[in-house]
Amino acid sequence: MTCDLNLSGEQRQIIDAAAAMLRTEYPVDRRRRWVADDLAAAAAFGMFGLGLPEGDGGAGFSLVEEALVHVLSGRHLVSSGSLATALGARLARAAGHAELADRLVAGEAFVCAGVPAGDSVLLMERGEAAFALVFDNRDFELREVGAALASEESALGHGASVERIPRVSKGVIARSAEPRMLAIADLLVSAQLLGVAEAVRDLAVAYAQVRQQFGQPIGGFQAIKHHCANMAIGAEMLSCQLDMAAIALRDGREDGAFQVAALRRLAPHVALANARLSIQVHGGVGFSAEAAVHHYLKQAHLLSRLGSAADILDLPAPLAPLVRVQERN
Amino acid sequence: MQLSLSPEDQTFRTTAREWLAANVPRRRAPNDGRPARDFALAWLARCNAGGWSGISWPDEFGGRGLSQERLIVWYEEYVRARAPSVLDCTFVALNHAGPTLIACGSDEQKGFHLPRILAGESIWCQGFSEPGSGSDLASLATTGRVEGDHLVVNGQKIWTSFADIADYQELLIRTEAGSKRHHGLSWVICDMKSAGITVRPIENMAGAVHFAEVFYDNVRIPLSEVVGDLHDGWRVAMNTLAFERKTAAIGLQLELSVKVEDLIDLAAPPRGSAIAERLATLRAEAAALRAMTYRTLLREPETPSDGSLVRLCFAELAQRVNRTAMDILGADALLENAWTHDYLESYSETIAGGTAEIQRNIIAERVLGLPRVKTQ
């Protein structure tokens, strides 16, 4: 079989293993009190070297497996440092900082995500991270972050810490505008957004099955069903496109950039739309800080700030017609 | 997960591309009536002569028996070559009636009808919906009374596409007196030239005459025209619908990608403009629809209803694409042209073959496991 979109046995294994690790180490309930995640357990699992070759201290999996694991990471609301460290290790390796790459893969050092904001950078959930990966529109840079803080703020009020540092060139270790590196970042960011979109769908469906009103579970009402169906459509669409993009990028196909751009464009729309619908299905509880669903909404906003989103209109479409319509009629 | 073609499949792509380039008709298909019939049958006959009719049908029934990979390749080339839409008046024969006969028909039924369908010699229509049975198909009331070796049919069907130009109809009727819901139905081949049939065409909101009401006044149909067992028509009909939701949809879904490219070509939008933003999103959505199409074909579904997701996604995206065309055209949108025609036609996407609301219920109940709505 040359075309087969079923998960392979090996893919199922890694997904099952990652899911078990995340259930134990990063249960969603931990987010009731939001502190930056200790990413040591994720590092011990091998999360930051999944896609690196075995010779480089990685696990030698492909981008497809790595993306699938980041979907699960998104479902568990793991700190954005999980993305930044995985990408930072890649960037360090590509820039010739092999020792730093090894330390990141081994969980001896961590990277947090940085979002440019005017002439400063917002460090998201820095925790123990000594490095930051700053996502700009068309490139990203790996930099050291010093101990001194300019200020500390709270992201969207859900407890994740945000530190503002000045944007200076001092401390920059590596910078990349390499298209493949940017595409990998967009792929993994989108994978986590898909995790958010799936998690809020499942939360809403589970709640609609137990919450009773007018003597029946609210999931029996069509208005609720249709909200849930819309979440399912969005998640399915994104999941299929994630597979397509990951395969294209893994195999070095010429439509790789197009597929990733399509994915990255849809991912924030779907994650945010699903989070909105899920809050709605939860009713009053959904608006409370008690329920987990608002954390997913905020995570979706955060993740949406990361990565570049190449303009899909600049890329050749794989299914472009062979003759222009004007030449036909 | 793999999406790579073998060298043989690549050769197949070249063969398909060359054949299409040399054979695809230059003009757009007529909208309705006799000209639509003649155009569609001529195209199908041409495909058949080239060995491209019934591409998904098994070889033993005269089809080409293409693998999933090659079906994908064929439809990719088909839409890129701007071949006529697969949703023309031959659609029911190739994608409903034929496959149903292959699955459930007698040797006589298959021997007579299948070659005629493949060769572009017969048009079929579907007689399922009734004035009182739209989304609720199982409530249908058109009756067939057994009288000797015939059924005597009385009642009315509606929304029957191409009834005015069809040769045969796949007719679902209540043959067991007093039966309820999906029990006691039969799936019957009805010759549209039978005495007692009256077809009253209905003009649709796009100004085309695709569908019709069909009245049956003591129409006599031989019992030998029943497909599958008498009173077992629901099972036969479900077989048809399941088939429709998979293979036949590939061409339609991929066609939308080409349409988005045409829109981008038409609009030539300045970067950053509002219309460029909309087109960028549509392009991404069409790409995702294609990815969904492939997963439907190339992955084992988790539930039998998984196909409803891609189907509904397609219907609503088709409407957004056509709606965007109207904004791009500006004042020209007020004139009758191919874009406005397709725009108006696109309103049927979320109604025909199961409304968007019913599809959402199916997704919620059968895919997500929410409580079922009770039917009597």
Side-chain angles (χ1 to χ4, degrees):
Chain A
M1 187 99 175
T2 53
C3 290
D4 179 3
L5 292 176
N6 287 293
L7 295 170
S8 69
E10 194 187 35
Q11 284 164 344
R12 278 186 199 287
Q13 272 181 8
I14 177 125
I15 286 174
D16 290 347
M21 181 275 290
L22 289 162
R23 270 196 307 275
T24 312
E25 303 292 341
Y26 303 96
V28 174
D29 269 358
R30 79 192 185 288
R31 287 315 200 184
R32 283 170 188 276
R33 206 183 124 257
W34 194 291
V35 289
D37 279 324
D38 179 352
L39 295 174
F45 176 78
M47 196 160 161
F48 307 133
L50 271 182
L52 290 176
E54 290 179 64
D56 292 347
F61 286 105
S62 80
L63 279 171
V64 174
E65 290 79 35
E66 191 171 8
L68 293 172
V69 170
H70 278 278
V71 175
L72 297 174
S73 207
R75 291 184 76 122
H76 280 262
L77 291 168
V78 179
S79 292
S80 51
S82 62
L83 271 170
T85 306
L87 293 165
R90 265 200 175 77
L91 185 53
R93 170 72 55 187
H97 300 280
E99 194 197 338
L100 175 57
D102 290 346
R103 287 175 60 213
L104 294 175
V105 169
E108 292 162 15
F110 298 101
V111 185
C112 64
V115 179
D119 51 7
S120 54
V121 173
L122 302 177
L123 302 182
M124 315 308 297
E125 299 176 76
R126 180 179 167 198
E128 300 299 309
F131 303 93
L133 189 69
V134 182
F135 292 79
D136 212 337
N137 257 346
R138 297 282 173 193
D139 65 14
F140 48 19
E141 65 185 30
L142 179 63
R143 55 174 304 147
E144 288 176 317
V145 282
L149 304 179
S151 67
E152 185 161 350
E153 298 161 41
S154 184
L156 283 170
H158 77 140
S161 70
V162 180
E163 295 172 21
R164 187 187 290 272
I165 58 167
R167 186 159 202 198
V168 290
S169 54
K170 189 165 159 266
V172 173
I173 297 166
R175 181 177 277 125
S176 179
E178 206 251 310
R180 185 173 168 83
M181 195 70 87
L182 293 170
I184 291 172
D186 281 338
L187 178 76
L188 299 186
V189 169
S190 303
Q192 292 219 359
L193 282 163
L194 169 60
V196 168
E198 290 182 348
V200 294
R201 171 202 63 194
D202 294 348
L203 283 174
V205 169
Y207 185 76
Q209 278 164 328
V210 296
R211 168 67 176 165
Q212 301 243 346
Q213 283 291 275
F214 303 103
Q216 64 169 97
I218 60 169
F221 299 117
Q222 291 199 39
I224 300 293
K225 281 186 175 158
H226 291 189
H227 281 332
C228 292
N230 287 338
M231 287 185 259
I233 293 168
E236 178 75 3
M237 187 172 180
L238 202 55
S239 167
C240 291
Q241 186 59 25
L242 179 81
D243 287 357
M244 192 73 148
I247 291 169
L249 214 52
R250 175 195 68 190
D251 296 349
R253 279 187 2 204
E254 58 189 29
D255 64 339
F258 174 90
Q259 301 296 356
V260 172
L263 173 71
R264 184 62 179 77
R265 185 161 189 99
L266 297 178
H269 289 301
V270 173
L272 290 168
N274 278 17
R276 184 185 80 76
L277 288 173
S278 188
I279 289 171
Q280 184 67 24
V281 168
H282 280 81
V285 171
F287 184 62
S288 78
E290 286 280 298
V293 61
H294 73 105
H295 290 308
Y296 284 102
L297 174 79
K298 293 164 183 174
Q299 187 77 348
H301 279 289
L302 192 164
L303 291 168
S304 300
R305 305 301 315 173
L306 309 179
S308 64
D311 190 343
I312 190 173
L313 292 181
D314 289 337
L315 299 161
L319 270 192
L322 295 166
V323 252
R324 295 187 70 199
V325 69
Q326 290 88 335
E327 291 157 25
R328 268 289 309 286
N329 293 333
Chain B
M1 286 196 271
Q2 298 293 334
L3 271 180
S4 52
L5 295 176
S6 66
E8 293 76 24
D9 290 337
Q10 296 288 4
T11 309
F12 171 82
R13 183 189 290 282
T14 310
T15 310
R17 183 174 296 189
E18 286 169 358
W19 186 85
L20 286 161
N23 289 280
V24 165
R26 290 268 143 214
R27 64 191 179 93
R28 188 177 154 99
N31 288 334
D32 53 18
R34 210 67 210 183
R37 177 187 162 104
D38 294 345
F39 182 94
L41 289 181
W43 169 234
L44 185 53
R46 194 157 187 169
C47 287
N48 190 47
W52 298 105
S53 184
I55 47 165
S56 62
W57 292 20
D59 316 354
E60 56 181 306
F61 300 109
R64 193 147 173 161
L66 291 184
S67 65
Q68 304 285 51
E69 285 92 340
R70 292 198 179 182
L71 275 177
I72 288 173
V73 169
W74 166 254
Y75 280 116
E76 283 185 354
E77 293 304 321
Y78 191 92
V79 300
R80 296 189 73 190
R82 299 182 189 284
S85 170
V86 296
L87 192 57
D88 65 8
C89 57
T90 64
F91 185 88
V92 170
L94 283 169
N95 299 295
H96 283 207
T100 304
L101 293 178
I102 289 171
C104 307
S106 68
D107 289 342
E108 291 75 25
Q109 289 164 349
K110 286 186 276 203
F112 180 83
H113 286 289
L114 298 182
R116 285 172 172 76
I117 290 174
L118 290 173
E121 291 168 5
S122 61
I123 301 274
W124 284 62
C125 60
Q126 188 184 62
F128 284 14
S129 297
E130 296 182 3
S133 307
S135 295
D136 182 12
L137 180 59
S139 69
L140 66 85
T142 296
T143 58
R145 189 178 70 249
V146 179
E147 219 179 79
D149 55 0
H150 278 71
L151 284 167
V152 180
V153 178
N154 282 285
Q156 182 193 348
K157 294 289 176 181
I158 195 167
W159 317 131
T160 305
S161 292
F162 305 113
D164 56 331
I165 53 172
D167 302 294
Y168 299 97
Q169 182 179 45
E170 38 179 42
L171 182 58
L172 195 60
I173 48 175
R174 195 164 293 284
T175 46
E176 191 176 9
S179 64
K180 294 268 184 253
R181 307 295 303 162
H182 53 281
H183 301 288
L185 305 176
S186 295
W187 198 106
V188 183
I189 302 169
C190 173
D191 185 331
M192 290 301 282
K193 289 183 290 298
S194 308
I197 289 184
T198 307
V199 175
R200 197 174 70 83
I202 304 170
E203 184 178 340
N204 71 19
M205 62 175 270
V209 184
H210 285 166
F211 51 32
E213 288 177 292
V214 184
F215 299 91
Y216 308 82
D217 180 14
N218 288 315
V219 176
R220 295 179 64 82
I221 300 176
L223 277 171
S224 59
E225 300 293 345
V226 173
V227 174
D229 291 336
L230 191 67
H231 310 324
D232 195 28
W234 186 258
R235 191 184 61 80
V236 178
M238 287 305 106
N239 184 302
T240 314
L241 293 174
F243 189 90
E244 175 200 7
R245 281 169 199 178
K246 207 163 176 185
T247 314
I250 312 173
L252 283 178
Q253 288 157 11
L254 297 186
E255 216 171 70
L256 209 47
S257 284
V258 169
K259 192 145 196 180
V260 171
E261 295 310 308
D262 285 345
L263 267 189
I264 293 170
D265 196 20
L266 178 73
R271 289 296 182 268
S273 61
I275 210 76
E277 283 299 297
R278 277 170 75 182
L279 287 168
T281 298
L282 290 176
R283 207 181 199 198
E285 289 175 321
L289 178 72
R290 179 184 177 216
M292 291 174 92
T293 304
Y294 294 174
R295 187 187 275 186
T296 308
L297 290 166
L298 300 169
R299 182 184 280 199
E300 282 299 314
E302 282 171 31
T303 78
S305 303
D306 283 6
S308 331
L309 291 161
V310 60
R311 186 180 151 74
L312 183 52
C313 192
F314 161 75
E316 296 188 338
L317 178 57
Q319 291 180 342
R320 289 197 295 280
V321 169
N322 283 293
R323 175 71 184 78
T324 304
M326 296 298 281
D327 288 342
I328 290 171
L329 286 173
D332 285 349
L334 302 175
L335 304 170
E336 191 168 335
N337 60 53
W339 287 107
T340 56
H341 180 82
D342 288 356
Y343 163 70
L344 293 172
E345 287 276 358
S346 76
Y347 279 82
S348 71
E349 299 289 2
T350 48
I351 301 170
T355 64
E357 289 71 25
I358 293 291
Q359 297 290 328
R360 283 192 165 83
N361 288 350
I362 290 172
I363 292 166
E365 294 169 12
R366 301 188 200 164
V367 179
L368 299 174
L370 287 170
R372 289 207 175 194
V373 174
K374 289 187 191 71
T375 48
Q376 62 201 57

